[in-house]
Amino acid sequence: MDNNDGCYSTHLIDGDGSFNVSGIENFMKEVKLAECGLSYAVVSIMGPQSSGKSTLLNHLFRTNFREMDAFKGRSQTTKGIWMAGCVGIEPCTLVMDLEGTDGRERGEDDTAFEKQSALFALAVSDIVLINMWCHDIGREQAANKPLLKTVFQVMMRLFSPRKTTLMFVIRDKTRTPLENLEPVLREDIQKIWDSVPKPQAHKETPISEFFNVEVVALSSFEEKEEQFKEQVTNLRQRFFHSIAPGGLAGDRRGVVPASGFSFSAQQIWKIIKENKDLDLPAHKVMVATVRCEEIANEKCGSFLENEEWRELEEAVQSHPVPRFGKKLSSILDIYLSEYDAEATYFDEGVRTGKRKQLEEKLLQLVQPAYQSMLGHIRSGTLDRFKEAFDHALNGGKGFAMAARYCTETFMSRFDEACADATINQANWDSLKVRDKLRRDIDAHVGTVRTEKLSELTTVYETKLNEALSGPVEALLDGANDDTWPAIKKLLQRETETAISGFSSALSGFEMDEETVEKMLSKLHDYARGVVEAKAKEEAGRVLIRMKDRFSTLFSHDSDSMPRVWTGKEDIRAITKTARSSSLKLLSVMAAIRLDDEVDSIEKTLALALVDSKGSASTNKSSTSVDPLASSTWDQVPALKTLITPVQCKTLWRQFKTETEYTVTQAIAAQEASKRNNNWLPPPWAIVALIVLGFNEFMTLLRNPLYLGVIFVGFLLVKALWVQLDISGEFRNGALSGLLSLSTKFLPTVMNILRRLADEGQKHGNTNTQQNPSPASQSFHSGANENSEVLSSASSEVTSAENGTEYSSPVQEKLN
């Protein structure tokens, strides 16, 4: 079926005589013919082949029939019978374009289809247009004479109560006025009518009893197109309101209702094909058809106005209705029973057909409500399934078992609910809705399965992450020869534990073995990935780890006590030991060793970075190659490499640079300690002092007073030495020592003098209470007291000095 600018057309009967049932049904729906009742008209056109029939119809009724292409020559364009709806004409007008007569395609002898199509057109049409050439009027051997004979012959086979309008359309009108052409044409028509054999009852019946004859003339379309279109426009006006009394289709006797047009046309063509006489329509069938149609429409309208149906339809839009099927079946039974009672005396075939149509129409009206009911049942069942399924899972039931039980239970409940909603008059099933429910349930189960598996996987991955990250970090921090075997053992133990628990948890899902193995493999790979990721993370901090290890081993003794540099320690050996341990850490962190593969990374690093002889020989030999001048390790895949040889060399150089200061500080502290402990002058200086100071020594022996003064001066100097911590101040340099002593000297002297004064005052008070001593004893007593004070100060400061000597190396190390 074609649709062009609102004009619908269909190939009603093809060239072989096959009736297009589906085509006319669709056509009637598109043009809404069933709504027209008796208010419609049918127009058909006959004429010789290539006489411009389709062109005339397209201009007259604005149809879209295929027209002949004049440039390709004259040939058959229309095959069989085409039907189209007119555009812009009231009432609804249908147009049939018949295959042209006298065509060379069918030949001279094949006139059966011409007669059948002519009879069909006369049987169903209100108006028949006969297209003819102007130059054929008045000619004995004109092309239209066989056509007219055919029309009049088939008319004798019709027993129609109404008259058909024959409109002769004269094409390519010449200068001869229509008033002169029409009498000649009517005379020719009368001659043909008289020559056609007629039944005895119609021997003398004039043509006016069967036809209303109209004659119009049109100019040539090719030569006078504008004039042709103007004349067609005027002719078009005559088809408006054509069914009104006095109109072209004013005789409405025996008109088939529009809703029965399709069926009537099929039956007419069937009878014509069987070469039977037509009685269009028989009185009994016509009345039955019209009346049954009216009763069916009345019952359908009453059903739509039924209050119970309206309430049921409104309620089912928002929620499921209990006993929906029984209620609706009861309402439908009422109106079908009323139809049977009122149409019981009409023709059984018509009555049965109309009842079936009424039933189909009613079912078509209630089907949306039925579908809504099924939708509520489906959605309610699905919601209850989800709730029950979640409850079963939360109750500890196995996933697969819970899914299977809940699915079977609620699918059974859905079937029961659908049975309650079934309408007795309809042969509908809920299979599509049931399939959709099953798909929704399966989709929900699949979604929940995915979520549960994801949660389960996350739980075990988290456990693995917690069980591996901390221990691996601790093992790598204390890297040694047993680090990677310990990590491998840890990984194997934790992985086996996790996989065992994960496998047990997966058993409730009843998945296929391949899927389970794949998930277990992913968990195993995840555990290994955790170790590798932690190793890569620690490898990024290897320089910090190396410096911490070096600092720990270098600055602490075997008892983990802070090391005091007294001058007896072998700094070189300690440094070598600390660096070797740091190099061990670097070699352990250089690659991942979770497989049973042997590598030579530690040996390569030791030879290239620690062995001085090897390094010296390497520097001297210009032909040798640096073993660390590479981006890969021997026998180690690139994926397992954490630190490349080049990076190791760079890290070691940076490590040595940043730890060199610590070693230098230790050496400086050791030298300072040696100087502090070795305070005596050299032996030659002692001998020189004895030889050169012999006279002064003898003088002191002869005069003990000098010896007392010297002794007091010695104690005072020693007190100042201890109080000012002169050796400690000069340890940081001469300039800084002098500056520090210049600020501390005067306060220290004042402090010593104040203490001497306090001690003298204390002894004076004591002597006042006792008997005075002789003058000679007073001097000795004062000297002794001063000696005691200085000795006390010296002893106190000496103890402080000893504390300083013990703590200064530690302080120096911390600095």
Side-chain angles (χ1 to χ4, degrees):
M1 186 173 65
D2 299 326
N3 176 12
N4 186 13
D5 298 331
C7 175
Y8 296 93
S9 62
T10 185
H11 199 178
L12 186 62
I13 301 174
D14 61 19
D16 297 330
S18 299
F19 195 92
N20 186 4
V21 178
S22 61
I24 191 172
E25 293 290 346
N26 293 332
F27 172 79
M28 289 180 63
K29 292 180 182 178
E30 294 294 342
V31 300
K32 300 179 180 179
L33 184 61
E35 301 175 2
C36 297
L38 300 177
S39 300
Y40 74 100
V42 181
V43 180
S44 60
I45 188 169
M46 305 178 186
Q49 180 176 299
S50 303
S51 60
K53 301 186 298 300
S54 300
T55 302
L56 174 60
L57 294 180
N58 290 341
H59 285 82
L60 183 60
F61 299 108
R62 298 177 185 172
T63 55
N64 58 355
F65 292 121
R66 181 185 175 192
E67 300 178 9
M68 182 192 72
D69 189 348
F71 294 99
K72 295 183 178 180
R74 304 175 69 84
S75 61
Q76 187 182 49
T77 303
T78 303
K79 296 181 180 180
I81 300 176
W82 283 77
M83 176 176 282
C86 300
V87 178
I89 293 181
E90 290 294 337
C92 178
T93 302
L94 308 181
V95 180
M96 292 194 302
D97 187 8
L98 274 64
E99 180 180 315
T101 61
D102 197 24
R104 63 182 179 85
E105 285 77 8
R106 291 191 180 271
E108 296 180 359
D109 300 327
D110 189 7
T111 59
F113 186 79
E114 294 178 4
K115 292 180 180 180
Q116 292 172 350
S117 60
L119 181 58
F120 179 77
L122 289 172
V124 301
S125 302
D126 300 295
I127 306 167
V128 178
L129 304 180
I130 298 178
N131 205 42
M132 60 185 305
W133 300 112
C134 181
H135 55 73
D136 284 342
I137 299 176
R139 294 172 59 185
E140 186 65 26
Q141 300 297 327
N144 62 318
K145 288 197 173 182
L147 174 62
L148 290 176
K149 288 181 180 180
T150 300
V151 171
F152 295 150
Q153 286 173 358
V154 298
M155 191 62 191
M156 295 299 98
R157 297 177 57 191
L158 289 174
F159 300 93
S160 176
R162 62 173 175 165
K163 291 198 297 185
T164 303
T165 298
L166 290 182
M167 179 175 285
F168 291 87
V169 182
I170 302 173
R171 304 294 297 275
D172 295 352
K173 176 182 171 298
T174 60
R175 295 181 180 179
T176 304
L178 180 61
E179 292 79 5
N180 296 337
L181 292 174
E182 185 173 354
V184 178
L185 177 59
R186 287 183 179 274
E187 183 180 350
D188 290 343
I189 294 172
Q190 187 63 44
K191 289 180 180 180
I192 297 173
W193 173 257
D194 294 338
S195 65
V196 172
K198 292 180 279 296
Q200 187 65 33
H202 297 289
K203 283 286 185 180
E204 303 299 329
T205 303
I207 191 175
S208 58
E209 291 292 327
F210 292 93
F211 300 103
N212 292 324
V213 179
E214 299 282 344
V215 179
V216 295
L218 299 175
S219 300
S220 173
F221 173 72
E222 296 181 352
E223 298 177 2
K224 301 177 181 179
E225 183 177 353
E226 295 301 325
Q227 188 175 357
F228 171 84
K229 291 181 179 179
E230 182 179 354
Q231 293 169 351
V232 169
T233 302
N234 295 332
L235 178 60
R236 175 182 172 85
Q237 298 302 318
R238 298 188 63 185
F239 289 90
F240 282 87
H241 308 293
S242 59
I243 63 173
L248 293 178
D251 190 351
R252 307 305 292 162
R253 292 175 297 173
V255 175
V256 178
S259 59
F261 178 80
S262 171
F263 177 76
S264 175
Q266 295 176 50
Q267 294 302 313
I268 290 173
W269 182 251
K270 179 180 178 182
I271 294 173
I272 291 173
K273 290 286 287 184
E274 293 174 355
N275 201 23
K276 296 178 180 180
D277 292 337
L278 288 173
D279 188 359
L280 298 177
H283 181 71
K284 182 179 179 181
V285 174
M286 180 190 69
V287 174
T289 302
V290 174
R291 185 58 186 146
C292 288
E293 182 75 23
E294 291 176 352
I295 296 172
N297 290 336
E298 179 184 349
K299 299 309 171 187
C300 185
S302 300
F303 171 78
L304 292 175
E305 297 297 328
N306 183 277
E307 191 66 27
E308 187 178 358
W309 154 245
R310 285 186 172 184
E311 293 177 357
L312 191 64
E313 183 183 26
E314 183 178 357
V316 81
Q317 299 300 322
S318 57
H319 58 82
V321 178
R323 302 177 67 249
F324 174 84
K326 292 183 179 180
K327 292 179 180 179
L328 191 52
S329 298
S330 177
I331 298 173
L332 292 175
D333 276 339
I334 292 173
Y335 292 99
L336 291 175
S337 299
E338 290 179 358
Y339 171 86
D340 292 337
E342 295 182 25
T344 184
Y345 298 106
F346 292 106
D347 181 80
E348 183 179 359
V350 175
R351 184 178 71 243
T352 304
K354 293 303 178 182
R355 188 188 192 281
K356 185 176 181 180
Q357 291 180 9
L358 173 62
E359 186 175 350
E360 290 176 354
K361 191 171 184 179
L362 291 176
L363 291 177
Q364 186 177 1
L365 292 173
V366 303
Q367 187 174 21
Y370 176 72
Q371 293 297 332
S372 297
M373 183 64 186
L374 292 184
H376 289 310
I377 295 174
R378 183 192 63 81
S379 59
T381 303
L382 181 60
D383 292 340
R384 289 189 293 273
F385 167 82
K386 292 179 179 178
E387 183 178 354
F389 186 48
D390 291 342
H391 182 72
L393 292 179
N394 294 334
K397 204 169 187 178
F399 184 90
M401 184 181 298
R404 185 165 51 249
Y405 172 77
C406 292
T407 300
E408 293 175 355
T409 300
F410 285 93
M411 289 304 297
S412 176
R413 293 182 183 179
F414 174 81
D415 293 337
E416 294 174 0
C418 287
D420 182 66
T422 301
I423 301 173
N424 298 334
Q425 292 81 4
N427 190 24
W428 297 332
D429 59 52
S430 57
L431 184 59
K432 291 184 178 179
V433 181
R434 191 181 194 279
D435 291 342
K436 187 176 188 327
L437 173 62
R438 185 57 187 262
R439 290 195 300 270
D440 292 341
I441 289 177
D442 291 343
H444 179 71
V445 171
T447 301
V448 175
R449 178 188 290 109
T450 302
E451 292 176 356
K452 293 297 182 182
L453 289 176
S454 178
E455 292 175 2
L456 195 61
T457 303
T458 302
V459 168
Y460 280 92
E461 286 179 352
T462 303
K463 289 182 178 180
L464 280 173
N465 195 32
E466 294 175 353
L468 292 175
S469 295
V472 169
E473 182 177 354
L475 289 172
L476 291 175
D477 186 30
N480 52 47
D481 292 334
D482 297 329
T483 296
W484 282 109
I487 292 176
K488 181 179 178 182
K489 185 177 180 180
L490 172 69
L491 173 63
Q492 184 177 0
R493 184 181 68 251
E494 296 298 335
T495 303
E496 288 178 354
T497 303
I499 286 180
S500 176
F502 192 50
S503 178
S504 177
L506 290 178
S507 62
F509 290 86
E510 296 183 7
M511 297 184 294
D512 58 277
E513 186 176 352
E514 182 180 357
T515 304
V516 173
E517 288 298 327
K518 188 180 295 185
M519 296 186 69
L520 295 179
S521 177
K522 286 184 179 180
L523 185 64
H524 184 276
D525 294 341
Y526 177 82
R528 187 182 180 99
V530 170
V531 173
E532 293 179 354
K534 179 56 67 174
K536 290 178 182 179
E537 180 183 345
E538 293 301 313
R541 298 198 294 262
V542 65
L543 181 60
I544 298 175
R545 299 288 191 189
M546 291 170 63
K547 290 191 294 183
D548 290 344
R549 175 171 290 194
F550 177 84
S551 177
T552 300
L553 296 177
F554 186 79
S555 301
H556 294 77
D557 56 20
S558 58
D559 297 328
S560 299
M561 296 296 294
R563 198 184 296 275
V564 179
W565 304 106
T566 62
K568 300 178 182 179
E569 296 84 3
D570 188 355
I571 294 180
R572 180 181 298 275
I574 296 173
T575 302
K576 185 175 181 181
T577 301
R579 285 181 176 175
S580 298
S581 180
S582 298
L583 185 65
K584 168 66 73 175
L585 173 63
L586 180 61
S587 66
V588 170
M589 298 295 295
I592 298 173
R593 300 176 178 86
L594 294 176
D595 301 320
D596 297 330
E597 296 178 356
V598 181
D599 59 69
S600 58
I601 295 177
E602 182 178 359
K603 182 178 180 182
T604 302
L605 290 176
L607 291 175
L609 301 178
V610 177
D611 191 350
S612 59
K613 295 182 179 180
S615 299
S617 62
T618 301
N619 293 333
K620 292 178 181 179
S621 177
S622 59
T623 59
S624 61
V625 180
D626 185 356
L628 298 182
S630 174
S631 60
T632 58
W633 297 102
D634 292 340
Q635 301 176 349
V636 178
L639 293 176
K640 297 182 180 181
T641 300
L642 298 176
I643 307 173
T644 64
V646 174
Q647 292 173 338
C648 287
K649 186 174 183 180
T650 303
L651 288 171
W652 185 256
R653 185 183 299 114
Q654 186 176 355
F655 164 75
K656 289 186 66 177
T657 301
E658 294 183 9
T659 56
E660 193 70 32
Y661 178 75
T662 303
V663 178
T664 303
Q665 286 287 86
I667 295 174
Q670 193 177 56
E671 293 296 329
S673 178
K674 289 180 180 180
R675 287 194 302 269
N676 291 336
N677 295 331
N678 194 16
W679 55 273
L680 294 176
W684 61 269
I686 296 175
V687 173
L689 286 174
I690 293 174
V691 173
L692 297 177
F694 181 77
N695 295 331
E696 287 76 6
F697 179 71
M698 293 304 297
T699 302
L700 291 175
L701 291 177
R702 293 189 187 99
N703 191 350
L705 182 59
Y706 289 154
L707 185 60
V709 173
I710 292 174
F711 179 70
V712 172
F714 168 74
L715 294 179
L716 180 61
V717 171
K718 184 178 180 182
L720 288 174
W721 182 276
V722 173
Q723 287 288 337
L724 294 177
D725 190 17
I726 294 176
S727 61
E729 296 295 341
F730 279 97
R731 189 178 302 155
N732 296 325
L735 181 60
S736 61
L738 291 174
L739 292 175
S740 178
L741 291 176
S742 65
T743 58
K744 293 168 61 177
F745 180 76
L746 184 60
T748 303
V749 172
M750 295 299 296
N751 184 35
I752 293 175
L753 292 177
R754 184 170 55 254
R755 292 191 63 182
L756 290 174
D758 292 341
E759 290 293 333
Q761 185 176 1
K762 185 185 299 183
H763 283 281
N765 293 333
T766 303
N767 292 332
T768 302
Q769 296 175 3
Q770 299 176 356
N771 292 327
S773 302
S776 60
Q777 293 179 354
S778 177
F779 171 79
H780 291 289
S781 175
N784 291 333
E785 290 171 1
N786 291 337
S787 300
E788 291 175 359
V789 172
L790 290 177
S791 298
S792 175
S794 175
S795 62
E796 291 177 1
V797 177
T798 302
S799 63
E801 182 183 8
N802 293 334
T804 303
E805 287 179 357
Y806 175 77
S807 61
S808 61
V810 177
Q811 184 66 32
E812 178 183 356
K813 172 185 175 298
L814 295 175
N815 292 335

